Amino acid sequence: MNFVRALINLKALKHNLSVLQAAAPKSKILAVIKGNAYGHGMVEVAQTLDNIYGLGVARINEAIMLRTRGITKDILLLEGFINPLDLSVLVFYNLQTVIHCSEQVDFLFKATLIKPLKIWLKLDIGMHRLGFRPEEFHAVLKRLIDCPNVEKPINILGHFNCADELENPITHQQITLFKKYISEDIGSVSLANSAGILAWPDSHLDIIRPGVALYGVSPFVGKTDKCQQLKPVMTLKSKLIAVRHHLKGESVGYGADWVAQSDCKVGVVAMGYGDGYPRMAPQGTPILINSRIVSLIGRVSMDMLTVDLGLNCTDKVGDDAILWGDGLSVNDVAKHIGTIGYELMTKLTPRVDLQYHD
């Protein structure tokens, strides 16, 4: 039996989808499932999500995997392509792609395709990673309208960079900028990510693109009541494999970093960086055992970590330990570690069993 498992609550996933749809009732949903659906299992999540416009992935291999597993929904490559040979693959698998640089435009003109490709032209509204600057956007759009390998009308999308900061005026400015480029010649338009859906209604437009909120994780910096309706989809669990009496002055784990200040009981949990739990997690990182928060002590090793159970605990070998999920927000754990919940979930290794239930 594998102690380490991530329980994926498909009912919670469907619930979160309905919450996001209710927040933007006039918009269609492109569900973002890149990064193996943020660690939740890309194929299973794609099979579960119904009544949506389509699915968003980052890489072409992710899209091909979905197609070969029988997923027929529309699929958009959010990073686009960099090899002209990929264009025929996109057509073969009926994939849509983002166009964000001039090289891609050149490839489209030079290609010989059996049918036009559905594209999304990206306007750089301030992220400054991918996309065309506002001053060059119209010229690129006009050029693509003249390209026989491009399906018309052409869709456009943008990407927020500060929508999770509710008091930041940049997001309002970016919404205003993006809307200046919407015209009758444009197809569908998309701007809102998870934070945009929940906090910036002016950004909803034709299609919304929820990512982390689908999985019940708040996209916002700090606490907010805007995510109270969301339910965690993943609960990462393992078990206590030892409960040890520990004497004052004794250390635990590699490097003897933690030394007991008084007699206590130490619990050993079958979870380590071999499972994707961060090795740099500091002492005090919360773990949920028998409905109470206990603290990580000592260094995280490849297969195990240790916690302070308290001197008078009644915990026993075989009891569950929840690393994050139901009862312990992944964002709270991430805050202690100095990262974000996105990273924790997507870094789980294949050694963790994904177990689906409804």
Side-chain angles (χ1 to χ4, degrees):
M1 175 183 177
N2 188 358
F3 297 142
V4 183
R5 65 261 190 224
L7 305 182
I8 308 300
N9 185 339
L10 298 177
K11 185 176 181 179
L13 178 68
K14 296 174 186 176
H15 166 82
N16 295 337
L17 181 67
S18 67
V19 170
L20 294 164
Q21 185 66 84
K26 297 181 180 180
S27 303
K28 297 179 181 179
I29 291 179
L30 180 85
V32 179
I33 61 170
K34 61 183 180 178
N36 197 27
Y38 292 60
H40 292 69
M42 183 171 61
V43 173
E44 291 79 6
V45 168
Q47 291 170 338
T48 300
L49 296 174
D50 294 321
N51 301 318
I52 60 174
Y53 167 80
L55 304 163
V57 299
R59 311 279 166 77
I60 191 169
N61 60 309
E62 294 175 318
I64 292 173
M65 177 187 292
L66 292 172
R67 286 288 187 248
T68 57
R69 294 294 295 273
I71 303 302
T72 59
K73 299 179 179 73
D74 287 354
I75 300 175
L76 173 61
L77 298 183
L78 296 169
E79 284 187 1
F81 64 96
I82 60 170
N83 190 325
L85 298 178
D86 289 338
L87 284 168
S88 59
V89 178
L90 300 185
V91 171
F92 179 81
Y93 285 105
N94 191 28
L95 304 176
Q96 303 173 24
T97 184
V98 166
I99 300 297
H100 57 73
C101 65
S102 58
E103 290 84 356
Q104 293 172 314
V105 178
D106 293 338
F107 292 154
L108 280 167
F109 272 93
K110 295 176 182 178
T112 301
L113 304 179
I114 60 174
K115 67 175 183 178
L117 192 65
K118 188 167 187 175
I119 68 169
W120 290 76
L121 186 57
K122 188 160 193 175
L123 173 64
D124 180 8
I125 58 173
M127 179 71 83
H128 301 321
R129 294 185 312 189
L130 303 176
F132 294 93
R133 294 180 177 276
E135 60 268 22
E136 59 184 346
F137 185 82
H138 281 306
V140 175
L141 176 61
K142 184 179 184 303
R143 189 177 177 209
L144 286 169
I145 289 173
D146 293 334
C147 180
N149 286 323
V150 172
E151 181 181 308
K152 282 63 167 198
I154 294 172
N155 312 293
I156 66 170
L157 80 168
H159 198 316
F160 290 132
N161 61 335
C162 296
D164 56 336
E165 301 171 11
L166 298 178
E167 304 303 321
N168 195 324
I170 288 178
T171 301
H172 177 72
Q173 297 166 12
Q174 291 176 344
I175 294 171
T176 301
L177 173 62
F178 185 81
K179 287 185 174 182
K180 289 181 179 179
Y181 291 83
I182 299 175
S183 67
E184 293 181 356
D185 297 332
I186 297 297
S188 296
V189 292
S190 177
L191 184 57
N193 57 1
S194 290
I197 296 165
L198 294 168
W200 304 92
D202 287 348
S203 71
H204 292 169
L205 307 178
D206 296 328
I207 294 176
I208 55 176
R209 308 193 306 270
V212 74
L214 267 177
Y215 311 102
V217 179
S218 170
F220 298 107
V221 176
K223 298 287 186 180
T224 175
D225 59 359
K226 294 184 178 295
C227 296
Q228 288 183 350
Q229 291 181 276
L230 299 178
K231 298 180 180 180
V233 176
M234 175 191 291
T235 297
L236 181 63
K237 301 179 76 171
S238 187
K239 289 185 179 293
L240 284 171
I241 59 172
V243 177
R244 298 171 53 87
H245 290 277
H246 211 71
L247 302 178
K248 179 181 178 179
E250 290 183 334
S251 65
V252 66
Y254 289 113
D257 289 344
W258 182 86
V259 177
Q261 301 302 303
S262 59
D263 292 355
C264 64
K265 288 184 179 179
V266 169
V268 182
V269 179
M271 172 67 68
Y273 59 79
D275 306 293
Y277 195 89
R279 182 179 180 274
M280 73 287 297
Q283 296 175 28
T285 299
I287 294 168
L288 187 64
I289 296 179
N290 291 321
S291 301
R292 77 187 194 285
I293 297 293
V294 298
S295 293
L296 175 71
I297 56 175
R299 293 185 189 175
V300 175
S301 58
M302 182 179 290
D303 312 301
M304 291 174 277
L305 56 79
T306 47
V307 295
D308 183 357
L309 296 173
L311 181 61
N312 299 315
C313 76
T314 58
D315 309 301
K316 60 186 184 299
V317 169
D319 285 351
D320 281 337
I322 295 178
L323 288 305
W324 62 71
D326 191 12
L328 178 59
S329 166
V330 68
N331 280 349
D332 289 343
V333 178
K335 184 177 180 180
H336 277 81
I337 297 173
T339 183
I340 56 175
Y342 300 60
E343 182 178 16
L344 294 183
M345 296 185 297
T346 57
K347 279 195 170 180
L348 294 182
T349 70
R351 194 163 72 167
V352 178
D353 282 340
L354 299 183
Q355 300 178 0
Y356 298 89
H357 63 96
D358 206 16

